[in-house]
Amino acid sequence: MLFSIFSIVVGLIILIVGAEGLVRGAASLAAKLNVSPLVIGLTIVSFGTSAPELTVNIVSAINGSPDLAIGNVIGSSIANIFLILGVSSLITPLTVKASTVYKEIPFAVLGAFLIFVLANDQLFDGAQANLLGRTDGIALISLMGIFMYYIYGLAKDEKQKQKEITQAGGEAMRYDIPASLLLAAGGMAGLVLGGKLLVDGAVDVAMTAGLSEALIGLTIVAIGTSLPELATSIVAALKKHSDIAVGNAVGSNIFNAFFVLGTTSTILPLPFSTSINADVIFAIVAMLMLFSFMFIGSKHKLTKFEGSLLLSGYLIYLVFLAIRN
């Protein structure tokens, strides 16, 4: 028990240090490349913080645990919106760019909706079984390619604007590009290591306390793979980098749906349990809540009150999991 508690404490420290390094490196890289922090948040940061989900999914698929693979993506996507953006906006209201409101958030909604449609073959096609097959995976990866092409265009459009901001002193360029990349990579490594230590320790403590494996998997493990996103967004919010905080959470949902699940189902077709439909619906509702908040009250801003509503949504989801399991 003492070793598990020590693992939790050390993991949390490494997680915080890793998040600090990733945010510093990402912000510096954005300034050096003359692109907006949003672009970096939607790409490098999102991909880096989605690494735990990708790793867990590939291992789960190979080991024949499809429910864990799909549940991991859905659970993390719910946590990204309800928990991560909820906590981040309680720290400081998050200003959201128009491109995120009208393009990235709808793309994330599309990802959750497509998972529901593609996985429910019995409901929509009258098939004998529900399956996320290789053709579904290839389709999801193809859509990820379209999103990356959009990001490329976004980076080109904003490059000159960001260059003018940087030259005017609006963004400090503290590190050169190799140092920025090294700092960001080191931060990602710290997030993965810290998250693993913390989750392993928390699972040991929970099992010692007599909690069921199912409940541990749907709560601690699901939150655990989202810890990199949580730590990164909290540090970004504290540093007033709203673009990185929001881009990280929304971008991770896009990566989870199109790249992580697409890659996993391409490697090995994933049988889909209808019991997960409720979780997919929670994910869709979370994204729709975020989208609607962009037009309520302060336009294109996630306020502290709206953040508290998102957190309440996550508490409701946890209660639902406890009752169901």
Side-chain angles (χ1 to χ4, degrees):
M1 174 70 85
L2 286 176
F3 180 78
S4 298
I5 295 173
F6 177 75
S7 177
I8 291 173
V9 173
V10 173
L12 184 60
I13 292 171
I14 295 175
L15 202 64
I16 293 170
V17 172
E20 176 77 15
L22 178 56
V23 171
R24 281 181 179 271
S28 174
L29 190 63
K32 277 294 185 181
L33 295 177
N34 291 323
V35 298
S36 72
L38 175 63
V39 171
I40 298 297
L42 285 168
T43 53
I44 295 174
V45 176
S46 293
F47 184 80
T49 56
S50 292
E53 284 91 342
L54 180 60
T55 303
V56 168
N57 268 42
I58 291 176
V59 172
S60 299
I62 293 172
N63 290 341
S65 301
D67 285 355
L68 179 58
I70 296 172
N72 173 47
V73 165
I74 301 303
S76 295
S77 296
I78 293 169
N80 283 344
I81 305 304
F82 277 152
L83 177 63
I84 293 171
L85 286 184
V87 171
S88 299
S89 58
L90 284 180
I91 294 172
T92 183
L94 301 174
T95 301
V96 183
K97 284 195 171 182
S99 64
T100 300
V101 174
Y102 294 109
K103 295 176 182 177
E104 287 109 41
I105 293 177
F107 206 81
V109 175
L110 174 65
F113 179 73
L114 276 179
I115 291 172
F116 179 79
V117 172
L118 293 176
N120 281 283
D121 299 309
Q122 289 176 316
L123 176 63
F124 292 104
D125 295 328
Q128 292 184 344
N130 292 322
L131 184 74
L132 271 174
R134 286 193 172 93
T135 53
D136 298 326
I138 292 169
L140 291 172
I141 292 175
S142 299
L143 285 169
M144 186 69 211
I146 293 173
F147 178 72
M148 294 308 298
Y149 181 75
Y150 155 72
I151 292 296
Y152 171 73
L154 182 67
K156 283 183 64 178
D157 291 341
E158 295 198 356
K159 190 165 186 176
Q160 184 59 38
K161 184 194 305 181
Q162 192 66 23
K163 185 176 181 180
E164 292 169 2
I165 293 173
T166 301
Q167 289 174 343
E171 194 76 51
M173 295 189 292
R174 301 180 182 178
Y175 316 104
D176 58 22
I177 290 179
S180 298
L181 287 171
L182 185 61
L183 193 58
M188 289 179 191
L191 288 172
V192 174
L193 175 60
K196 177 170 173 42
L197 286 173
L198 195 152
V199 171
D200 288 348
V203 169
D204 286 340
V205 171
M207 293 188 77
T208 303
L211 298 181
S212 71
E213 244 180 72
L215 188 57
I216 291 170
L218 286 164
T219 53
I220 295 174
V221 175
I223 294 173
T225 55
S226 294
L227 282 176
E229 287 95 335
L230 179 60
T232 302
S233 288
I234 287 175
V235 171
L238 289 170
K239 291 181 175 296
K240 309 297 183 183
H241 290 308
S242 291
D243 285 352
I244 292 180
V246 177
N248 170 43
V250 174
S252 289
N253 273 20
I254 293 171
F255 269 85
N256 284 344
F258 295 110
F259 184 71
V260 175
L261 204 53
T263 299
T264 310
S265 56
T266 300
I267 294 172
L268 191 69
L270 302 173
F272 182 82
S273 172
T274 54
S275 64
I276 302 178
N277 275 331
D279 303 270
V280 178
I281 291 171
F282 262 102
I284 294 172
V285 168
M287 292 303 310
L288 290 176
M289 279 181 66
L290 176 62
F291 184 70
S292 64
F293 286 162
M294 296 299 98
F295 304 96
I296 299 173
S298 300
K299 192 176 181 182
H300 296 182
K301 179 175 285 189
L302 194 60
T303 65
K304 291 186 177 183
F305 175 70
E306 290 164 346
S308 68
L309 292 179
L310 291 177
L311 267 181
S312 298
Y314 196 66
L315 291 176
I316 292 171
Y317 177 64
L318 291 179
V319 170
F320 164 75
L321 286 180
I323 294 172
R324 185 178 68 180
N325 295 282

